[in-house]
Amino acid sequence: MKNIVILISGRGSNMQAIVRACTAEGWPARVAAVVANRPEAEGLAFAQENGITTAVVPSRGKTREVFDAELAAEIDRHAPDLVVLAGFMRILTPAFTERYAGRLINIHPSLLPAFPGLQTHARALEAGCKIVGATVHFVTAELDHGPYVVQTAIPVLAGDTPETLAERILPLEHIIYPRAVRWFVEDRLAVADGRVTVTPRADGTSDSQDSQWLFGEDA
């Protein structure tokens, strides 16, 4: 049974999707804790309602180094096999990412390597992109880089705005992020030369969903 610790800053909709999938699909894992850097993070209430341990490690007024050290101490209390960033709005130090190397993942709202950082949908529209999406990736010291686990995409429609793109992509994020976490806890992810491969299920079945806009080796 693997322990998952999820980090949030706000409502944590991807956290909620992971919690629900873990229960519904009977993963060999449990969400051991949800940790926020903001005491007002709405996702804390959902976690508490679902019997998950919660904690707040305030980030305001602290250096990145001090905050990351306090955050790591809290995370390590729960003996994590995997640390999941789910709308966690902090840039992490290299020491932190190295501490959890190979067991720290994130979802970013673009088709990486395009548009790392903020305002991804606005930048994609300005660039004239025909498709946009989201990427689940392992976290490294370089912001929004690291081996890609799975991606999802949607076409850009006439009249789309950053807000409509975000609204249409979010339901697909709620598919690919739990899927990536499940692959990890089932020991089906392998990273070599910066590339992620997904080993097939032992029973030969697929994780396929009815969408042409999911990209992954077992998508």
Side-chain angles (χ1 to χ4, degrees), residues 152-154 171-172 175-176 179 206-215 218-219:
T152 185
I154 58 170
L172 291 180
I175 294 172
I176 66 168
R179 179 177 302 180
S206 171
D207 293 320
S208 296
Q209 295 280 346
D210 293 330
S211 174
Q212 61 178 318
W213 296 105
L214 299 176
F215 305 100
D218 199 11

Side-chain angles (χ1 to χ4, degrees), residues 134-137 148-152 176-177 179-180 183 214-216 219:
T135 305
V136 179
H137 65 99
Y148 310 144
V149 179
V150 62
Q151 294 181 301
T152 185
I176 66 168
Y177 212 3
R179 179 177 302 180
W183 286 339
L214 299 176
F215 305 100

Side-chain angles (χ1 to χ4, degrees), residues 35-54:
V35 182
N37 67 311
R38 298 173 179 170
E40 67 274 19
E42 302 96 317
L44 293 170
F46 172 88
Q48 292 162 359
E49 290 165 2
N50 284 270
I52 299 169
T53 298
T54 61

Side-chain angles (χ1 to χ4, degrees), residues 84-100:
V84 175
L85 308 181
F88 189 65
M89 303 304 292
R90 292 284 302 184
I91 296 176
L92 299 165
T93 59
F96 186 95
T97 58
E98 178 61 29
R99 185 188 192 103
Y100 300 105

